[in-house]
């Protein structure tokens, strides 16, 4: 890590950008949704095949743990790759600053010109920004990266781990704690409420249509339950 970047990290390490926060929340929402659907899938398949409550509980618990750790490891690997890519881009731009400073300054000037700023003003802005912090300016303009701020794979992994565990716990608790007469409707209600919540959150985080996201999640939840129930009926 270059000395200039180290200074930036020390100044900014206590502050997370909105993108970093949203990435952690995104991992949590996806983990929760995955936990709900995978656990209820196993629960419905096993419960349709046997009435043994202990067998149903162990199957659901095993799947919950497997899903949570699988989601966490997947998020860690994915975000780590993204972080490595961002760092490689910063290193590349730093090398270009040393060998082609004028071209880098011209790229910053062009960036502002393309946004309607006059050539003279764009040049003045580029020169001022490059004088203050050339590397931070270039990586922000060319790579859309804020120097010193990289996606944290550990935050994403833990967010996904916890959310998947909590999401899968709702159908597991409903199927395990309610009596045989009530376990099916209780589990169905728990799943529908859970996927409604994750649909709402995913739409809010992604600035999408809330109603569409909720309906989509509910439909997927219902299909998941039906498929796994009939799979269990085959055995």
């Amino acid at each position: 890590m270059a000395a200039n970047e180290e200074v930036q990290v020390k100044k900014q390490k206590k502050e997370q950008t909105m993108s970093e926060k949203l990435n952690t929340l995104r991992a949590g929402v996806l983990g929760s949704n995955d936990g709900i659907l995978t656990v209820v899938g196993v629960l419905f398949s096993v419960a349709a095949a046997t009435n043994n409550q202990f067998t149903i509980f162990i199957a659901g618990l095993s799947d919950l743990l497997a899903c949570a750790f699988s989601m966490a490891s997947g998020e860690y690997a994915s975000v780590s790759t993204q972080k490595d890519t961002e760092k490689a881009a910063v290193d590349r731009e730093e090398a270009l600053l040393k060998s082609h400073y004028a071209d880098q300054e011209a790229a910053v000037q062009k960036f502002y010109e393309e946004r309607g700023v006059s050539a003279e003003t764009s040049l003045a802005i580029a020169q001022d920004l490059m004088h203050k912090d050339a590397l931070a300016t270039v990586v922000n303009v060319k790579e859309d990266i804020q120097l010193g701020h990289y996606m944290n794979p550990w935050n994403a992994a833990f967010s996904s781990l916890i959310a998947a565990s909590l999401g899968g716990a709702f159908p597991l608790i409903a199927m395990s704690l309610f009596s045989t007469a009530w376990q099916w409707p209780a589990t169905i209600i728990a799943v529908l409420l859970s996927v409604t919540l994750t649909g709402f959150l995913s739409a809010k985080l992604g600035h999408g249509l809330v109603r569409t996201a909720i309906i989509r999640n509910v439909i997927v939840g219902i299909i998941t339950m039906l498929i796994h129930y009939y799979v269990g009926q085959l055995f």
Side-chain angles (χ1 to χ4, degrees):
M1 184 182 292
N4 189 29
E5 187 179 352
E6 288 179 343
V7 173
Q8 291 291 332
V9 171
K10 289 177 181 178
K11 289 180 179 179
Q12 301 173 347
K13 65 181 180 180
K14 293 183 180 180
E15 300 176 7
Q16 279 194 324
T17 63
M18 183 58 68
S19 295
E20 290 173 294
K21 293 176 182 178
L22 289 177
N23 184 65
T24 301
L25 290 172
R26 174 202 57 80
V29 171
L30 292 178
S32 178
N33 203 56
D34 220 48
I36 295 164
L37 295 179
T38 57
V39 171
V40 77
V42 169
L43 287 174
F44 269 51
S45 294
V46 177
T50 179
N51 292 323
N52 189 302
Q53 288 294 99
F54 183 73
T55 300
I56 297 171
F57 174 76
I58 291 300
L61 180 62
S62 298
D63 185 69
L64 185 152
L65 294 173
C67 172
F69 282 100
S70 174
M71 287 294 295
S73 61
E75 282 293 337
Y76 180 82
S78 175
V79 178
S80 291
T81 300
Q82 181 181 350
K83 182 179 179 180
D84 292 341
T85 301
E86 291 174 347
K87 285 190 171 184
V90 171
D91 290 341
R92 182 173 63 251
E93 297 301 336
E94 186 174 27
L96 287 173
L97 277 171
K98 295 176 180 178
S99 59
H100 298 82
Y101 184 91
D103 291 340
Q104 295 289 75
E105 185 175 85
V108 177
Q109 179 184 0
K110 183 180 179 182
F111 173 84
Y112 287 100
E113 283 185 8
E114 290 175 346
R115 282 151 183 79
V117 182
S118 67
E120 184 180 353
T121 304
S122 295
L123 178 59
I125 292 173
Q127 290 175 337
D128 183 57
L129 291 175
M130 294 288 282
H131 175 72
K132 290 177 179 177
D133 194 328
L135 182 58
T137 299
V138 169
V139 297
N140 182 252
V141 167
K142 295 180 63 179
E143 308 290 345
D144 195 24
I145 297 172
Q146 289 194 42
L147 191 62
H149 287 279
Y150 303 107
M151 297 302 176
N152 191 316
W154 287 109
N155 285 351
F158 282 122
S159 176
S160 185
L161 175 69
I162 294 170
S165 299
L166 292 175
F170 286 110
L172 179 61
I173 291 172
M175 183 67 79
S176 302
L177 295 186
F178 282 85
S179 64
T180 305
W182 288 98
Q183 64 180 188
W184 287 99
T187 306
I188 292 171
I189 292 172
V191 171
L192 294 180
L193 290 176
S194 300
V195 295
T196 296
L197 178 60
T198 57
F200 173 81
L201 292 175
S202 63
K204 285 296 184 181
L205 290 175
H207 305 291
L209 298 175
V210 173
R211 181 183 297 179
T212 301
I214 290 175
I215 292 174
R216 180 172 57 240
N217 265 23
V218 169
I219 291 174
V220 170
I222 292 172
I223 292 173
T224 299
M225 289 186 283
L226 288 173
I227 290 174
H228 285 87
Y229 175 80
Y230 285 111
V231 168
Q233 287 285 300
L234 296 176
F235 299 96

